[in-house]
Amino acid sequence: MTSSESPRPGTAEIPETGRAWHLTARPQGWPTPDDFALREEPVTAPADGQLLVRNIHLSVDPYMRGRMSSAKSYVEPYKLNEPMYGGAVGVVVASRAEGFAPGDHVLHDLGWREYATLPAERAAKVDPDAAPLSTYLGVLGMPGLTAYAGLVRVAGFQPGDAVFVSGAAGAVGSEVGQIARLKGASRVIGSAGSDEKVELLTKEYGFDAAFNYKNGPVAEQLKEAAPDGIDVYFDNVGGEHLEAAISAMNLHGRIAVCGMISQYNATEPTPAPRNLAQIIAKRFRMEGLLVMDHVDMRPQFVEEVSAWVRSGELKYRETVVEGVENTLDAFLGLLRGENVGKMIVTLGA
């Protein structure tokens, strides 16, 4: 025990230590294993209003790369030599908070570690009988809400729109394309980084067309896939993809900028799209997207998307890596595009 206080009846024995990932240096360009360390940390029994959670599934996401920099951003940078943060689903081991009991499953943001002690207000109960626990980190979690809010609200999707999604085989992109299809898009086009992912987009997710951006210039491949242009572009990649989308944009089109993974590890300033001046003639709108601005849409999102998941109309994939010791490998693999769908690290039930 790490506290002289006994656990509540039914509370599992609290271990003395658990492993947690620390950022030990700010990466310059691509992160390397030398920038991180997996360390033993004391496990703290919960105080009043707190929970102790044993994590079952951890999330690794592209936005985490930005938190490894000290540059000012919309989210606080990771502190050096302290446990990192990220989405996680786990089981309550001990509780001193009203409304939570040992055995409850919760979603919270103290990932990258085996055990987390946190205030109850930072945790939300999830139901393992309603959906697999891992889906609360993916299709029904933050990536899913990002896809839904970005398409419906930020991009102002309307039935009949032609929609282009970059990074379309990832957790967010694959859901964007499917939601667009289910809501009446005239055409859904996706780009991905392998022929296998392209096949997945068209044969399983129902995209009308898809292409491997490594097989040739994006602008040329997009023009072939969308001969009548596009009305909505959901951007996960930036760079060449954004420039191509602007060229293909129809009058009064909309661009939701969710991410620019092609630029996250750049060590030199990246050029803006060379054709950005087309925003004047085409009068298209481009807006950045942060999911935290759209949490009010969660009830609507969960109701609509969970029904599609249950019916099988909306499909999802997960790439699962086992063991907390492999969390960094999962994150680096995500940056290299090795995942299909949501990248999940599972620590075991």
Side-chain angles (χ1 to χ4, degrees):
M1 298 284 290
T2 58
S3 169
S4 59
E5 185 172 359
S6 298
R8 289 184 173 186
T11 298
E13 184 74 14
I14 298 176
E16 291 186 0
T17 63
R19 290 173 293 176
W21 281 97
H22 290 215
L23 185 69
T24 59
R26 305 283 179 199
Q28 301 299 314
W30 280 88
T32 71
D34 292 339
D35 299 321
F36 305 85
L38 181 62
R39 294 169 173 166
E40 291 282 342
E41 292 276 326
V43 174
T44 306
D48 287 342
Q50 291 186 329
L51 313 171
L52 172 63
V53 177
R54 177 176 59 81
N55 286 331
I56 297 173
H57 299 298
L58 309 178
S59 177
V60 291
D61 300 282
Y63 81 87
M64 294 173 172
R65 176 61 185 88
R67 297 194 71 176
M68 295 171 189
S69 168
S70 60
K72 185 177 181 180
S73 184
Y74 62 88
V75 66
E76 183 183 2
Y78 291 129
K79 295 180 180 178
L80 295 180
N81 297 303
E82 292 187 14
M84 297 192 297
Y85 292 80
V89 173
V91 61
V92 175
V93 174
S95 171
R96 295 186 61 187
E98 191 72 28
F100 292 88
D104 287 345
H105 292 87
V106 295
L107 172 68
H108 62 91
D109 65 349
L110 268 67
W112 287 84
R113 67 195 80 185
E114 292 179 301
Y115 288 88
T117 302
L118 66 153
E121 58 264 25
R122 291 180 65 175
K125 284 187 182 180
V126 293
D127 184 356
D129 296 323
L133 286 173
S134 60
T135 62
Y136 294 103
L137 297 174
V139 66
L140 296 178
M142 181 268 289
L145 180 59
T146 301
Y148 187 88
L151 180 69
V152 173
R153 177 179 283 172
V154 177
F157 173 83
Q158 297 294 324
D161 281 344
V163 178
F164 172 44
V165 188
S166 58
V172 174
S174 60
E175 201 159 343
V176 171
Q178 292 184 81
I179 293 172
R181 173 177 55 79
L182 289 163
K183 283 185 168 293
S186 62
R187 190 167 178 80
V188 179
I189 305 104
S191 71
S194 73
D195 293 340
E196 292 77 15
K197 290 180 179 180
V198 167
E199 185 175 5
L200 173 70
L201 293 177
T202 56
K203 292 190 175 180
E204 185 168 330
Y205 293 154
F207 282 59
D208 296 290
F211 59 87
N212 182 346
Y213 67 85
K214 297 177 182 177
N215 286 349
V218 174
E220 293 179 9
Q221 295 194 78
L222 178 57
K223 186 175 181 179
E224 182 177 348
D228 296 322
I230 59 174
D231 304 294
V232 168
Y233 172 46
F234 194 103
D235 190 12
N236 290 305
V237 175
E240 184 185 1
H241 277 80
L242 179 55
E243 185 169 294
I246 289 172
S247 290
M249 189 65 58
N250 290 330
L251 194 65
H252 300 302
R254 288 88 65 204
I255 299 174
V257 182
C258 177
M260 293 190 174
I261 197 169
S262 69
Q263 299 171 209
Y264 289 167
N265 298 300
T267 56
E268 298 293 335
T270 53
R274 294 168 295 181
N275 57 350
L276 188 56
Q278 291 187 28
I279 195 170
I280 302 167
K282 294 182 176 181
R283 283 94 81 197
F284 65 81
R285 177 171 56 83
M286 184 164 63
E287 183 177 341
L289 163 62
L290 291 179
V291 69
M292 65 183 68
D293 295 335
H294 305 284
V295 292
D296 63 297
M297 296 189 75
R298 181 177 293 279
Q300 173 185 336
F301 153 70
V302 171
E303 180 180 0
E304 193 164 14
V305 174
S306 63
W308 287 329
V309 171
R310 287 193 300 272
S311 69
E313 294 174 277
L314 194 150
K315 305 180 188 302
Y316 67 94
R317 291 280 192 99
E318 295 175 339
T319 299
V320 179
V321 173
E322 295 187 1
V324 69
E325 66 275 9
N326 294 315
T327 306
L328 178 59
D329 288 341
F331 174 70
L332 297 177
L334 174 76
L335 294 182
R336 292 190 293 263
E338 295 174 0
N339 60 303
V340 176
K342 183 74 187 80
M343 182 71 90
I344 297 286
V345 179
T346 184
L347 312 187

